[in-house]
Amino acid sequence: MTATAHVGVTGLAVMGRNLARNLARNGYTVAVHNRTPARTNALVEQFGDEGTFVPADSAKELVASLQRPRRLIIMVQAGDPTDAVIDELAPLLDPGDVLVDGGNAHFTDTRRREAALRARGIHFAGVGISGGEEGALHGPSIMSGGSKEAYQLLSPLLDDIAATAPDGARTVAHLGPDGAGHFVKMVHNGIEYADMQLITEAYHLLRHTAGYEPSQIAEIFRTWNTGRLNSYLIEVTAEVLAHTDPSTGLPFVDIVADRAGQKGTGRWTVQTALDLGTPVSGIAQAVFARSLSSQDTLREAGRTLLGPTRRVLGSQDAARFADQVEQALYAAKVVSYDQGFHQIRTASDTYQWDVDLATVAALWRAGCIIRADFLDRIRDAYTAEPRLTSLLRDPHFAEEIGQAQWAWRAVAATAARDGVPAPGMSAALAHFDTLRTERLPAALIQGQRDYFGAHTYQRTDQDGSFHTDWAGDRTEHRTR
Ligand code: 6PG
């Protein structure tokens, strides 16, 4: 087999197939391979007119078709399937070749794989690719990890296939070594969960308390999409709410089973945050809300629990409430994004990745699922102050949230009074108020812990750790 291909893609499910098409459409000769050859043949038959594909029936043929240094993209399921493909390909590669994992791999797997392949002289880059099947075909947001040397070999390709932000910049970058790219993609997905949860809470309040129909709420979302909430997820939500089920004539949202699925990247974000000690309460509430929605037995048991009777606002109050919901949604969204960026910063410091948060925000302005206008503002905030402790301290966001908080509080209170679950909006408000609080009740937790577990505490007026003799004369002793 003559080595004519500039790049290879193995794993031709929707994402892999569309990525291969995107590369071919951009003029690259693309070697394509799938465990079941039928999928490879189907790609070439259906889309062979889009560019030059080199079908390969085996891993050996795939590698032999690639110009050196070889660039080979794996697009298979995360976990064991990815390890299996790496184990099959690595022995066929030479030092200096680049293996890319474009799936949603856990960043710790990527760190392990990168170290193992580096020992064999093979570059391994974990690359987060966001935007779903449409993004893979027309331009995703691309968050690359791996070595700088690997990225030098990949960047011409990735630049050509990435999405383009409104200012013309490509949404692709090298974010840091080893697992940095997959970590940022994981947090992207965590923020995606939080964003979707907040949007659904806004919908629920507009439906239950304001009494609007889905088609009316679709129009409200379309209006919001012309302002500071402009984003792909708001746009998508308006389309879903406007949709009528053809077989029943009912609003589509009313015929869908109210049990949310999750492939797991949001869960990983929360698990990782727990280990890093970073509060991602908005993302956590979103993950738990999805889990609870699928707990049929628990929900069945809860249906008869006493609660407030439904109260629907009159039209004038409903319009005013909708405006308050917009403010609550925006404020809670800023808090959830802030938590996600803080988690990336903490991981970057922990793993010495040196991730630039302004670059991350810039990457998310187009191509990815959480693309949104306000990411320009977030990029500007981190450009102005790269070590900004919290977005809530940025003058622009401080002003906006300072104004929005009164409506935000009213909406959280209304949700509680009306018995409408708004865990995301409420958790974000609690996070905001915790940050604002001079003295937290954590002092009492320390007292409790010392009382029953002699876990010691620190004082506000003296250095060191102390323990009180609760069983005896309650004197306190400095423990070191
Ligand atoms: C993306 C998406 C994608 C994610 C799907 C399903 O960035 O293109 O985030 O990676 O896997 O949206 O995710 P859940 O099943 O976890 O909702």
Side-chain angles (χ1 to χ4, degrees):
M1 162 108 35
T2 313
T4 59
H6 302 110
V7 59
V9 178
T10 181
L12 299 176
V14 171
M15 287 293 286
R17 183 196 67 197
N18 282 0
L19 202 70
R21 291 174 61 195
N22 188 345
L23 286 159
R25 286 176 173 193
N26 279 283
Y28 293 100
T29 299
V30 187
V32 288
H33 169 264
N34 195 77
R35 200 180 46 202
T36 45
R39 215 169 235 181
T40 310
N41 302 334
L43 167 60
V44 178
E45 278 157 27
Q46 279 181 280
F47 306 109
D49 60 343
E50 293 182 349
T52 309
F53 294 105
V54 178
D57 286 341
S58 68
K60 205 167 184 179
E61 266 189 42
L62 175 64
V63 172
S65 67
L66 291 169
Q67 292 177 11
R68 297 180 58 182
R70 302 182 184 92
R71 296 170 292 190
L72 184 40
I73 303 172
I74 301 170
M75 292 297 287
V76 300
Q77 265 195 320
D80 294 344
T82 299
D83 278 320
V85 170
I86 291 171
D87 291 345
E88 185 182 21
L89 289 172
L92 305 172
L93 298 173
D94 295 299
D97 289 345
V98 184
L99 205 44
V100 176
D101 176 7
N104 274 338
H106 196 288
F107 78 102
T108 54
D109 287 339
T110 302
R111 283 167 56 85
R112 164 178 57 82
R113 292 162 179 158
E114 197 271 343
L117 288 165
R118 183 169 3 110
R120 303 168 69 159
I122 297 168
H123 297 294
F124 183 75
V127 176
I129 298 175
S130 176
E133 54 186 276
E134 280 307 298
L137 181 59
H138 298 296
S141 167
I142 303 175
M143 297 148 261
S144 182
S147 65
K148 285 182 178 158
E149 295 77 16
Y151 191 69
Q152 277 167 358
L153 292 169
L154 295 172
S155 64
L157 297 171
L158 300 181
D159 287 351
D160 284 342
I161 65 171
T164 304
D167 63 1
R170 291 285 188 161
T171 53
V172 52
H174 179 251
L175 293 174
D178 59 70
H182 273 151
F183 188 95
V184 172
K185 175 58 168 65
M186 175 190 75
V187 176
H188 163 278
N189 281 34
I191 291 173
E192 175 186 304
Y193 278 46
D195 214 338
M196 292 165 72
Q197 175 65 25
L198 292 171
I199 288 171
T200 59
E201 291 176 12
Y203 153 75
H204 196 187
L205 286 159
L206 292 174
R207 185 93 191 260
H208 187 283
T209 297
Y212 289 123
E213 286 304 311
S215 57
Q216 294 173 297
I217 301 170
E219 286 313 308
I220 291 171
F221 276 97
R222 285 190 176 120
T223 303
W224 289 355
N225 204 38
T226 63
R228 60 186 178 180
L229 279 172
N230 173 271
S231 64
Y232 174 69
L233 283 173
I234 291 282
E235 175 193 337
V236 164
T237 302
E239 294 310 305
V240 170
L241 289 174
H243 186 54
T244 302
D245 174 52
S247 60
T248 60
L250 294 172
F252 171 75
V253 70
D254 288 347
I255 56 94
V256 177
D258 63 343
R259 294 189 293 276
Q262 49 185 320
K263 287 202 188 106
T265 44
R267 190 162 52 235
W268 290 349
T269 309
V270 180
Q271 289 164 340
T272 305
L274 290 171
D275 293 334
L276 289 168
T278 51
V280 291
S281 46
I283 298 170
Q285 289 298 341
V287 172
F288 285 130
R290 291 197 187 192
S291 303
L292 183 51
S293 74
S294 302
Q295 294 278 337
D296 294 343
T297 310
L298 197 53
R299 291 183 59 193
E300 190 51 44
R303 282 214 171 75
T304 56
L305 293 175
L306 288 179
T309 49
R310 183 177 180 193
R311 177 189 71 104
V312 181
L313 299 172
S315 59
Q316 273 194 341
D317 290 341
R320 192 175 309 116
F321 182 64
D323 178 60
Q324 289 182 321
V325 172
E326 187 275 344
Q327 295 179 68
L329 173 54
Y330 181 75
K333 177 175 179 175
V334 171
V335 167
S336 296
Y337 276 66
D338 186 35
Q339 291 180 336
F341 277 96
H342 178 252
Q343 182 177 359
I344 294 171
R345 156 83 52 63
T346 305
S348 177
D349 291 347
T350 304
Y351 297 104
Q352 285 92 42
W353 287 333
D354 196 24
V355 175
D356 175 55
L357 296 183
T359 302
V360 173
L363 280 190
W364 289 347
R365 294 178 300 151
C368 66
I369 302 294
I370 64 170
R371 56 187 184 266
D373 272 7
F374 89 141
L375 280 157
D376 275 320
R377 292 281 192 182
I378 293 178
R379 180 203 48 187
D380 295 346
Y382 286 120
T383 302
E385 198 175 333
R387 295 293 300 181
L388 179 67
T389 309
S390 166
L391 285 170
L392 300 169
R393 298 287 303 167
D394 169 72
H396 168 76
F397 288 113
E399 169 70 20
E400 281 196 314
I401 306 307
Q403 284 175 7
Q405 69 172 303
W406 314 117
W408 187 11
R409 295 179 190 285
V411 169
T414 300
R417 187 187 54 218
D418 289 2
V420 180
M425 286 186 182
S426 307
L429 182 57
H431 180 82
F432 177 70
D433 283 335
T434 302
L435 293 179
R436 292 173 49 259
T437 301
E438 184 63 33
R439 282 280 294 160
L440 289 171
L444 181 54
I445 290 172
Q446 289 295 82
Q448 293 162 334
R449 292 177 68 244
D450 190 58
Y451 189 102
F452 61 67
H455 292 301
T456 76
Y457 56 89
Q458 293 169 328
R459 294 177 57 99
T460 55
D461 55 1
Q462 298 174 51
D463 290 338
S465 293
F466 297 82
H467 167 62
T468 295
D469 178 6
W470 298 97
D473 58 8
R474 302 205 167 189
T475 55
E476 65 183 21
H477 311 280
R478 185 190 294 276
T479 57
R480 61 168 179 272

